[in-house]
C-alpha cells in the first residue's frame, strides 16, 4: 500500500476520533427518535457503518 493511501486511513481515523468524541456525540443526545431508536444510537451506528465502508473502499481499491 502506498504512503498516500495509508495517509487516507490515518485521516479517517482522526475523523472518527473527532466524530466519536463526547461533545460531538452529545449533540445527537435528544428526545427525538427515528423508527423507535434514540437519535444518538442512529448517529453512532451510522458513523460506524460509513467508516467501515470508506475503509473497505480504500483498502480494496488501493491494495497492491
Amino acid at each position: 500500500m502506498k504512503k498516500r493511501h495509508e495517509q487516507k486511513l490515518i485521516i479517517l481515523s482522526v475523523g472518527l476520533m473527532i466524530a466519536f468524541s463526547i461533545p460531538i456525540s452529545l449533540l445527537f443526545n435528544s428526545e427525538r427518535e427515528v423508527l423507535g431508536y434514540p437519535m444518538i444510537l442512529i448517529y453512532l451506528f451510522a458513523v460506524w457503518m460509513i467508516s467501515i465502508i470508506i475503509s473497505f473502499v480504500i483498502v480494496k481499491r488501493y491494495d497492491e
Side-chain angles (χ1 to χ4, degrees):
M1 185 174 293
K2 293 184 180 178
K3 191 71 169 175
R4 63 184 161 149
H5 307 309
E6 291 175 2
Q7 291 173 352
K8 289 178 185 180
L9 292 174
I10 291 172
I11 290 172
L12 177 65
S13 299
V14 170
L16 285 174
M17 285 193 313
I18 293 170
F20 286 133
S21 68
I22 296 298
I24 303 297
S25 295
L26 288 179
L27 290 174
F28 295 93
N29 191 15
S30 65
E31 298 289 326
R32 198 168 52 165
E33 294 182 350
V34 176
L35 299 173
Y37 295 104
M39 193 66 183
I40 192 165
L41 285 179
I42 300 295
Y43 168 74
L44 291 175
F45 283 111
V47 169
W48 184 38
M49 182 179 59
I50 290 169
S51 69
I52 290 171
I53 293 170
I54 290 173
S55 62
F56 176 77
V57 167
I58 290 171
V59 170
K60 188 71 172 172
R61 182 179 295 169
Y62 300 113
D63 190 26
E64 295 174 349

